[in-house]
């Protein structure tokens, strides 16, 4: 074999290795699931293996799932999975004196038990253009000085999307300064300052029971849902906190999507500011009219939103949806 042929073979081998490495890197963290009535536990373990995350669920033993996704981001896979199981998903950061306590609390969560721990969270409303595309692991938290662990975790619930869990009786003083960073790194530094252990877990919550949370109190809003968010069903939340969370999500969007999302968000804030002082019944009417008019002005946006929702549903769920539509029309 001539030197030229030998060099050509070496070059081909190197190119093949680089191509394989590139494909492996480019698909790292992407999820492929081809499941028909498969055990939920098996699907969860497959997602964990493909992405390197941990998932906990309160789904009953024996739950099955049908879903089909090919090389999709984690958040997309979780959204499809949640739809297929009539569930919701979020990320939680657990801080405790040791890993044994964290494992025990996750076991209680799986069994539907709710005592012994605080769960700080703010329910963030969905927003067209953000739902399904936002990865809460990318959220940045710029912590402000607090006196103790619980106060920091409550601040975290205000600053980023997700839940923060901690034992009721574990609330050490925090003296070390904390730097701005992605949320999981801030939680890690916070746990280190508390001489504790921290763990990030994705939650798939399926049981229809109230979430045991320490919701951050509203500022001047008492009784009923917060202004502009009737779907919170009585959870008192400061609208400014919700606005800050949504703004942070917009800031992290790709540039080509950010301008339209910002314009829609600014328009929505301006509208809700005009109705904030109205009585609740009048507010609800104004909100209904506002969204009806928005759909008339931008029918394509609603079509895109419905397409996004439809793509997340199983075939069985789509069939059942149209069955309900037919039944409702026949009843008119």
């Amino acid at each position: 074999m001539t030197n030229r042929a030998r060099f050509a073979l070496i070059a081909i081998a190197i190119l093949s290795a680089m191509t394989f490495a590139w494909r492996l890197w480019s698909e790292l963290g992407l999820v492929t699931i081809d499941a028909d009535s498969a055990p939920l536990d098996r699907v969860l373990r497959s997602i964990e293996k493909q992405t390197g995350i941990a998932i906990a669920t309160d789904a009953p033993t024996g739950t099955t799932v049908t879903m089909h996704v090919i090389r999709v981001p984690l958040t997309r896979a979780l959204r499809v999975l949640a739809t297929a199981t009539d569930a919701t998903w979020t990320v939680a950061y657990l801080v405790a004196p040791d890993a044994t306590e964290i494992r025990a609390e996750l076991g209680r969560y799986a069994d539907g038990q709710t005592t012994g721990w605080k769960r700080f969270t703010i329910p963030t409303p969905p927003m067209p253009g953000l739902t399904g595309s936002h990865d809460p692991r990318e959220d940045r938290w710029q912590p402000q000085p607090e006196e103790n662990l619980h106060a920091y975790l409550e601040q975290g619930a205000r600053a980023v999307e997700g839940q923060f869990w901690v034992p009721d009786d574990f609330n050490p003083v925090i003296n070390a300064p904390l730097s701005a960073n992605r949320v999981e790194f801030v939680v890690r530094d916070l746990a280190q300052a508390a001489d504790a252990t921290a763990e990030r877990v994705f939650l798939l919550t399926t049981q229809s029971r109230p979430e045991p949370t320490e919701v951050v109190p509203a500022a001047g809003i008492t009784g009923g849902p917060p202004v502009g968010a009737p779907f919170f069903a009585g959870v008192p939340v400061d609208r400014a906190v919700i606005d800050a969370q949504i703004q942070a999500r917009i800031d992290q969007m790709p540039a080509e999507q950010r301008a339209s999302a910002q314009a829609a968000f600014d328009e929505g804030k301006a509208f809700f500011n005009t109705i904030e002082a109205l009585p609740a019944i009048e507010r609800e009417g104004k909100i209904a009219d506002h969204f009806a008019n928005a759909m008339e002005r931008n029918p394509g946006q609603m079509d895109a939103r419905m397409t996004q929702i439809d793509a997340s549903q199983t075939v069985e769920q789509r069939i059942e949806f149209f069955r309900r539509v037919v039944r409702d029309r026949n009843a008119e």
Side-chain angles (χ1 to χ4, degrees):
M1 180 182 294
T2 65
N3 286 339
R4 178 175 295 179
R6 186 178 294 109
F7 289 148
L9 288 175
I10 293 174
I12 292 172
I14 293 174
L15 182 60
S16 298
M18 290 176 63
T19 301
F20 175 78
W22 168 251
R23 290 186 60 186
L24 185 65
W25 178 85
S26 64
E27 295 184 4
L28 186 65
L30 298 181
V31 177
T32 296
I33 299 290
D34 185 18
D36 289 293
S37 299
L40 175 60
D41 184 66
R42 184 189 304 168
V43 172
L44 294 181
R45 300 295 81 80
S46 177
I47 295 175
E48 289 179 332
K49 184 176 181 180
Q50 294 179 63
T51 60
I53 66 168
I55 307 176
T57 183
D58 63 358
T61 302
T63 297
T64 60
V65 59
T66 295
M67 65 178 288
H68 304 278
V69 294
I70 301 176
R71 295 189 296 275
V72 299
L74 171 64
T75 54
R76 165 71 173 169
L78 290 174
R79 183 159 56 91
V80 174
L81 177 61
T83 302
T85 54
D86 292 323
T88 60
W89 73 268
T90 189
V91 63
Y93 301 91
L94 288 73
V95 181
D98 55 58
T100 301
E101 290 198 38
I102 292 177
R103 298 269 72 77
E105 175 60 12
L106 289 173
R108 289 188 286 269
Y109 159 76
D111 293 336
Q113 302 176 18
T114 62
T115 59
W117 282 53
K118 291 183 181 296
R119 301 183 186 179
F120 295 101
T121 186
I122 292 179
T124 305
M127 179 177 174
L130 296 180
T131 302
S133 63
H134 172 246
D135 188 336
R137 294 174 299 178
E138 300 299 321
D139 286 353
R140 289 184 62 83
W141 176 10
Q142 186 169 352
Q144 303 302 311
E146 300 281 6
E147 292 184 0
N148 53 54
L149 177 60
H150 286 193
Y152 268 110
L153 296 182
E154 179 178 320
Q155 180 189 131
R158 291 178 176 273
V160 300
E161 183 178 347
Q163 299 187 13
F164 296 81
W165 297 15
V166 63
D168 287 334
D169 57 0
F170 182 64
N171 190 22
V173 173
I174 304 297
N175 293 317
L178 300 175
S179 301
N181 207 331
R182 281 172 48 185
V183 56
E184 64 181 296
F185 296 120
V186 176
V187 173
R188 178 201 62 189
D189 294 342
L190 182 59
Q192 184 176 2
D195 193 22
T197 297
E199 187 169 333
R200 183 197 67 204
V201 178
F202 282 82
L203 305 177
L204 183 72
T205 303
T206 63
Q207 293 184 6
S208 56
R209 56 182 171 81
E211 278 297 308
T213 58
E214 294 288 330
V215 179
V216 179
I221 301 175
T222 58
V227 175
F231 40 80
F232 284 169
V235 177
V237 180
D238 189 339
R239 207 187 100 201
V241 175
I242 299 297
D243 287 349
Q245 287 193 348
I246 295 177
Q247 184 62 61
R249 291 164 66 178
I250 292 174
D251 291 343
Q252 294 168 18
M253 294 177 69
E256 63 273 15
Q257 302 174 16
R258 194 181 309 137
S260 60
Q262 186 68 61
F265 180 48
D266 291 342
E267 180 184 356
K269 282 201 303 181
F271 166 72
F272 287 120
N273 287 338
T274 65
I275 66 170
E276 189 166 3
L278 297 177
I281 294 179
E282 189 175 351
R283 261 203 326 262
E284 291 176 5
K286 293 283 188 181
I287 291 171
D289 291 342
H290 174 77
F291 285 109
N293 293 334
M295 284 189 287
E296 290 180 2
R297 292 195 310 268
N298 302 293
Q301 184 181 57
M302 180 54 65
D303 289 343
R305 176 67 180 135
M306 292 305 296
T307 300
Q308 182 186 60
I309 293 171
D310 184 65
S312 302
Q313 294 180 326
T314 64
V315 173
E316 293 79 3
Q317 287 171 325
R318 295 178 203 173
I319 293 172
E320 179 57 29
F321 171 78
F322 287 110
R323 282 176 179 165
R324 290 198 302 269
V325 170
V326 172
R327 286 197 301 266
D328 292 343
R329 287 182 178 175
N330 290 337
E332 291 178 354

